[in-house]
Amino acid sequence: MSFLLPAATFGQSTELVPGKTIERKILKGENHLYTANLKKGEFVEFALDSGCVYLTIDLIDPSGAIIESLNYPDSVSFKASKKGKHELRLYP
């Protein structure tokens, strides 16, 4: 999977689809939310091109718990430990 940043807010989510590239901009002060419905044990990898914007990315499991918080990543990968909707929150 390869994804670039879309323009959205945490209130609006973009569902991630395997094999589909999303290319949009993120501006200072914006927050972006992506979702992926995963089965337990599925492995996911995201490639990011943030340009000169320094991003923090929070991975959220279906119960709302933060799996991991990453600063300035070029890529993100994780294995789902639970079935359900996972969130990927991006913000400068």
Side-chain angles (χ1 to χ4, degrees), residues 59-76:
L59 300 172
I60 313 295
D61 75 9
S63 69
I66 295 176
I67 298 169
E68 190 171 7
S69 188
L70 306 164
N71 291 312
Y72 322 130
D74 291 330
S75 64
V76 176

Side-chain angles (χ1 to χ4, degrees), residues 17-34:
V17 178
K20 181 180 177 186
T21 299
I22 300 170
E23 184 173 351
R24 297 189 189 140
K25 293 182 181 180
I26 186 169
L27 302 173
K28 184 178 178 180
E30 288 186 334
N31 300 313
H32 295 202
L33 173 64
Y34 302 88

Side-chain angles (χ1 to χ4, degrees), residues 7-67:
T9 65
F10 283 163
Q12 301 171 335
S13 66
T14 300
E15 186 169 350
L16 299 174
V17 178
K20 181 180 177 186
T21 299
I22 300 170
E23 184 173 351
R24 297 189 189 140
K25 293 182 181 180
I26 186 169
L27 302 173
K28 184 178 178 180
E30 288 186 334
N31 300 313
H32 295 202
L33 173 64
Y34 302 88
T35 60
N37 281 312
L38 303 172
K39 296 177 185 174
K40 182 178 178 178
E42 283 189 309
F43 180 81
V44 179
E45 183 172 24
F46 305 93
L48 306 167
D49 179 3
S50 61
C52 59
V53 177
Y54 295 107
L55 294 175
T56 296
I57 298 175
D58 294 334
L59 300 172
I60 313 295
D61 75 9
S63 69
I66 295 176
I67 298 169

